[in-house]
Amino acid sequence: MSKIILTGDRPTGRLHLGHFVGSLRRRVELQNSGAFDKIFIMIADAQALTDNADNPDKVRQNIIQVALDYLSCGLDPAKSTIFIQSMVPELTELSFYYMNLVTVQRLQRNPTVKQEIKLRGYSDDDSDNKKGTPVGFFCYPISQASDITAFRATTVPVGEDQEPMIEQCREIVRKFNSTYGETLVEPEILLPENAACLRLPGTDGKAKMSKSLGNCIYLSDSREEVTAKVRSMYTDPEHLQVSDPGHVEGNTVFTYLDAFCKPEHFEKYASCFVGRKASFSFSSLDEVKAQYRAGGLGDVMIKNFLNEVLNETLEPIRQRRAELEKDIPAIYEMLQKGCEAAREEASKTLADVRRAMKINYFEDGKCTL
Ligand code: TRP
């Protein structure tokens, strides 16, 4: 069986470090590993509209921002098909059929949907001025199952918050295959290996980096913006004096170091740990953590170090973005080609689905009573 990747992002904003460590960095590695037969990367505009119906400009503008983020991180259209969800209408038709295989109650149990409904302030009671849950939003896990199955994806690299979506997709596949015969491929989730990357906290220490919380470091942020954000980052509220013992667990700076720091950084950025009052020489993150726990290592030093590490990661991405921004029509052209290729693929699956469901009336030659 072919090994096929499908994954994607909602174009509701530029992509940030949470996207990068949760999935983007991995995608580029998988792309370049040559271990996959096909790779589809989707800009999920239709899904973005499920809770942004009144803001089409935002979705429209962010299509190109997300495409720029993809290419600057190293996704290569020669190896990965990058496309826009709504330009593949086959996905919508699949969703309509899959809806019959999922109950309202099952959707209500989906933990990510539950959490997102709360986060968006949708109420059970939509009378007066309260806003209820849009049906489209409620059903987006079903649409996501269409995205995945349309491309016969075997592997879906995503962050931890997407786990319930992939589980729900697997259920739909099993239900479809047992009802209509073996047709769809059951995908596997591919989570980040590093625990710090499963869900990168925001710069304020809140559980998730999210645009609506205003706690993001964007891939397109300048060096100055990154520095300012790192400086104001949440650390350990009990670490008041440099000499106090500090906490590493729940300390955002250390979580980010867990996600980004590489062995060579200690020598390269050794000067971050040289100060007027105290100097240290570290050769691993464990040593930094031990010193922080013991006391004497200040937040300014670990923040300066993190700032160097982050900017080293982001600088090549920024440079590529600046180059790519010089020719935006070329990006649109790349997307259009991607959409055409994606559509061709999805229409094959849709034909299989219609055949399995016996709604291929003029194809099977059964012109009988
Ligand atoms: N829900 C995903 C997100 O918010 C985006 C997405 C849409 C997706 N369809 C998908 C991810 C299919 C993986 C597979 O990031």
Side-chain angles (χ1 to χ4, degrees):
M1 196 170 73
S2 319
K3 287 176 73 182
I4 300 173
I5 286 179
L6 178 121
T7 187
D9 302 276
R10 295 182 191 189
T12 50
R14 292 173 292 147
L15 301 183
H16 52 61
L17 290 182
H19 295 109
F20 185 72
V21 295
S23 167
L24 210 41
R25 179 165 69 179
R26 189 76 170 285
R27 283 179 213 173
V28 175
E29 280 165 23
L30 295 171
Q31 167 195 276
N32 297 336
S33 75
F36 288 84
D37 300 289
K38 288 178 197 157
I39 300 176
F40 297 94
I41 309 290
M42 182 183 75
I43 305 181
D45 64 333
Q47 189 178 107
L49 285 165
T50 64
D51 64 330
N52 286 284
D54 53 355
N55 207 348
D57 284 331
K58 174 165 109 180
V59 175
R60 170 81 196 226
Q61 281 159 14
N62 281 306
I63 298 270
I64 196 73
Q65 293 301 333
V66 171
L68 282 166
D69 282 328
Y70 283 168
L71 299 179
S72 347
C73 284
L75 284 176
D76 174 0
K79 296 178 188 160
S80 299
T81 303
I82 301 173
F83 70 99
I84 305 169
Q85 189 180 27
S86 70
M87 296 306 291
V88 184
E90 285 76 7
L91 299 174
T92 326
E93 188 174 337
L94 282 177
S95 298
F96 198 66
Y97 303 139
Y98 293 171
M99 281 184 184
N100 305 332
L101 309 176
V102 181
T103 64
V104 170
Q105 292 71 27
R106 174 64 182 87
L107 277 174
Q108 274 166 339
R109 279 198 302 274
N110 183 309
T112 300
V113 173
K114 254 195 207 166
Q115 201 187 0
E116 289 182 332
I117 284 177
K118 223 186 202 168
L119 202 75
R120 286 163 178 73
Y122 296 146
S123 164
D124 281 344
D125 167 16
D126 64 356
S127 59
D128 301 329
N129 289 325
K130 302 203 187 84
K131 39 177 192 168
T133 311
V135 174
F137 180 79
F138 183 60
C139 296
Y140 93 75
I142 302 177
S143 128
Q144 200 156 327
S146 307
D147 305 335
I148 297 168
T149 54
F151 299 94
R152 296 165 219 269
T154 50
T155 312
V156 187
V158 279
E160 194 186 29
D161 62 321
Q162 296 298 305
E163 207 164 9
M165 303 302 157
I166 313 306
E167 192 43 47
Q168 186 135 31
C169 173
R170 290 165 61 92
E171 281 174 37
I172 291 172
V173 168
R174 289 197 288 265
K175 181 89 181 183
F176 189 101
N177 288 348
S178 68
T179 310
Y180 304 116
E182 210 55 41
T183 311
L184 302 175
V185 176
E186 204 174 315
E188 307 254 353
I189 189 168
L190 193 64
L191 288 171
E193 283 152 7
N194 179 339
C197 301
L198 278 175
R199 183 178 292 232
L200 197 75
T203 50
D204 57 358
K206 294 225 176 78
K208 197 178 171 181
M209 191 174 270
S210 132
K211 203 181 87 147
S212 48
L213 296 173
N215 60 6
C216 304
I217 294 177
Y218 293 99
L219 297 174
S220 46
D221 277 349
S222 66
R223 188 179 166 96
E224 292 70 31
E225 283 167 313
V226 173
T227 305
K229 288 178 184 182
V230 170
R231 248 186 223 139
S232 66
M233 225 155 144
Y234 179 85
T235 55
D236 171 10
E238 288 165 45
H239 191 234
L240 298 174
Q241 309 265 349
V242 173
S243 55
D244 288 342
H247 292 94
V248 166
E249 282 70 33
N251 184 324
T252 316
V253 173
F254 281 102
T255 311
Y256 281 39
L257 285 173
D258 278 330
F260 288 96
C261 182
K262 296 190 204 134
E264 65 265 27
H265 289 150
F266 296 95
E267 203 185 312
K268 208 162 164 190
Y269 304 119
S271 66
C272 295
F273 297 109
V274 178
R276 270 184 297 119
K277 288 186 191 149
S279 292
F280 304 93
S281 161
F282 297 119
S283 55
S284 73
L285 193 51
D286 283 340
E287 287 176 22
V288 182
K289 288 178 180 175
Q291 185 65 58
Y292 193 79
R293 286 193 179 103
L297 178 57
D299 284 354
V300 172
M301 280 190 174
I302 56 168
K303 283 183 173 178
N304 284 344
F305 181 59
L306 175 64
N307 187 41
E308 294 303 334
V309 168
L310 289 183
N311 277 307
E312 179 184 296
T313 308
L314 291 175
E315 191 48 35
I317 299 176
R318 276 183 211 126
Q319 279 175 14
R320 269 195 299 264
R321 188 180 241 273
E323 274 308 302
L324 290 159
E325 279 176 353
K326 291 182 190 156
D327 191 0
I328 297 298
I331 314 271
Y332 275 100
E333 198 179 312
M334 174 283 288
L335 286 172
Q336 194 173 356
K337 285 203 185 110
C339 292
E340 282 161 18
R343 195 160 181 199
E344 206 177 305
E345 205 67 29
S347 64
K348 287 186 214 153
T349 305
L350 181 60
D352 290 349
V353 160
R354 297 190 61 120
R355 206 171 298 126
M357 292 179 71
K358 305 190 190 297
I359 53 174
N360 58 335
Y361 306 107
F362 309 119
E363 194 194 66
D364 59 4
K366 283 189 199 147
C367 310
T368 54
L369 254 187

